[in-house]
Amino acid sequence: MARAKIALIGAGQIGGTLALLAGLKELGDVVLFDVAEGVPQGKSLDIAEAAPVLGFDAKLVGTNGYEAIEGADVVIVTAGVPRKPGMSRSDLLGINLKVMEQVGAGIAKFAPDAFVICITNPLDAMVWALQKASGLPTHKVVGMAGVLDSARFRYFLADEFNVSVEDVTAFVLGGHGDDMVPLVRYSGVAGIPLPDLVKMGWTTQEKVDAIVERTRKGGGEIVNLLKTGSAFYAPAASAIEMATSYLRDKKRLLPAAAYLAGQYGVDKLYLGVPVIIGAGGVERIVEISLDGAEQAMLDKSIASVQELVAECRKIAPDL
Ligand code: TXD
């Protein structure tokens, strides 16, 4: 069988890491696209030269032209600009909405059958814009944030309990940002829910609360440490997990920003929810029951995503 083709739009910090991971995992051939001349070419050549040492077979191509993504099975989008000092939120939205319009047009023309994973921030609004701009079916366009947020939650819990990260599951709902909803009740170690672990004396409620807070602010913690730029290893690994579930039809249940049409009482909006990702794209949206406090947190998160998308509609009424 021919290798799958993975197109990466944006060859920055996350884009380069995605190319390396896609190669290492032999997910398929990789096309790295960026508007910056030389960067995608340089990074893909560098990674191709690592292949003999690391022992993987994949073709890596760097490009500044959308033709090269023709027929891609998966497209992962990190293109955009970060917020710079002096830039307002709507300045940033305006710029990245234009980027999503360009990228969406490129995907519509050359890779209309792809499974598209958006990573660009502000995530819940950009994935909405990318779906609109590309015109691809909503079940083929998702946003990556929940896998990353729950990976952070899992890491902090594993560290607290001194157990393998593999045995820790964690659940996160809602938009990507400070008001995401880490669900303590659905998180735990090898099937033992967190509230039980508190009762068993493995940890205290205060420590769990602090871990939830650290998870919510996980992106900012890395930005403050790095000073320039934001997290890229864990975000890239998270998107690769989603791409793998699609390409290998694994039907993983993963949190992702998915298009809701009534689920969770939300209509025509992208929001972080548990979904099944398989060969059909988003094959199912999983609606779990929430208690009053959890629902209140989710409502707050929904309101902030709605506000963000309303601002996008004002800036780009044609979308
Ligand atoms: O959980 C999540 N979703 C995130 C999101 C976690 C971490 C970071 N997240 C966001 O991902 C971050 O706020 C950014 O919006 C994206 C990409 O992060 P990265 O760290 O890779 O940013 P870079 O290094 O600035 O790379 C962006 C690249 C850069 O090379 C630009 O030249 C390119 O995007 N770019 C474009 N490529 C194609 N087409 C257009 N129009 C374009 N404009 C800029």
Side-chain angles (χ1 to χ4, degrees):
M1 237 221 293
R3 287 182 203 149
K5 179 167 173 176
I6 297 137
L8 307 174
I9 312 296
Q13 296 279 59
I14 300 179
T17 312
L18 285 168
L20 177 64
L21 290 175
L24 273 173
K25 291 184 176 262
E26 291 196 326
L27 279 189
D29 292 334
V30 176
V31 177
L32 195 51
F33 172 99
D34 204 290
V35 286
E37 277 171 35
V39 173
Q41 291 86 350
K43 288 198 179 182
S44 54
L45 180 59
D46 191 11
I47 295 168
E49 289 168 356
V53 184
L54 295 169
F56 64 80
D57 286 300
K59 262 209 178 72
L60 284 119
V61 174
T63 183
N64 305 114
Y66 273 105
E67 324 71 68
I69 74 162
E70 180 149 32
D73 299 288
V74 168
V75 179
I76 308 180
V77 179
T78 59
V81 299
R83 189 155 162 182
K84 299 195 183 90
M87 205 189 252
S88 73
R89 184 172 87 159
S90 51
D91 292 340
L92 175 76
L93 274 184
I95 296 170
N96 281 352
L97 279 171
K98 285 227 167 59
V99 172
M100 289 307 113
E101 284 180 39
Q102 286 170 15
V103 175
I107 295 172
K109 186 160 181 203
F110 293 107
D113 296 322
F115 181 59
V116 179
I117 303 169
C118 181
I119 303 184
T120 305
N121 268 335
L123 193 266
D124 306 278
M126 291 305 120
V127 63
W128 169 86
L130 185 62
Q131 189 278 325
K132 292 260 178 228
S134 66
L136 263 62
T138 51
H139 66 278
K140 298 293 280 295
V141 183
V142 293
M144 189 294 293
V147 175
L148 171 65
D149 296 331
S150 60
R152 287 179 172 147
F153 197 11
R154 287 171 67 192
Y155 165 67
F156 299 147
L157 290 171
D159 198 39
E160 163 67 6
F161 297 138
N162 197 23
V163 298
S164 165
V165 287
E166 285 185 49
D167 290 327
V168 180
T169 51
F171 219 102
V172 173
L173 276 182
H176 185 50
D178 290 356
D179 50 18
M180 74 175 82
V181 186
L183 286 181
V184 167
R185 210 155 57 94
Y186 288 106
S187 306
V189 179
I192 313 169
L194 264 183
D196 289 24
L197 291 163
V198 173
K199 279 187 214 139
M200 286 155 63
W202 277 40
T203 185
T204 60
Q205 189 57 46
E206 291 67 41
K207 282 189 176 162
V208 171
D209 293 345
I211 286 174
V212 164
E213 207 39 37
R214 192 176 176 197
T215 303
R216 286 214 173 98
K217 306 227 160 88
E221 184 178 359
I222 305 268
V223 169
N224 288 337
L225 290 166
L226 293 179
K227 311 271 189 315
T228 55
S230 46
F232 54 100
Y233 294 115
S238 303
I240 289 290
E241 188 173 50
M242 295 167 72
T244 306
S245 193
Y246 172 76
L247 288 169
R248 308 243 156 101
D249 193 24
K250 285 176 72 77
K251 306 194 192 293
R252 299 278 314 270
L253 196 162
L254 299 169
Y259 187 81
L260 301 183
Q263 299 93 340
Y264 290 94
V266 176
D267 204 25
K268 301 194 179 73
L269 201 67
Y270 272 87
L271 189 77
V273 294
V275 298
I276 307 274
I277 296 177
V282 173
E283 296 183 349
R284 196 195 300 176
I285 289 169
V286 183
E287 277 187 276
I288 53 166
S289 65
L290 300 175
D291 65 24
E294 291 161 351
Q295 187 64 51
M297 281 194 283
L298 186 63
D299 288 344
K300 190 167 167 237
S301 184
I302 292 168
S304 57
V305 176
Q306 267 164 344
E307 194 193 309
L308 199 62
V309 171
E311 204 174 332
C312 291
R313 282 188 202 272
K314 255 192 237 154
I315 298 170
D318 297 342
L319 270 178

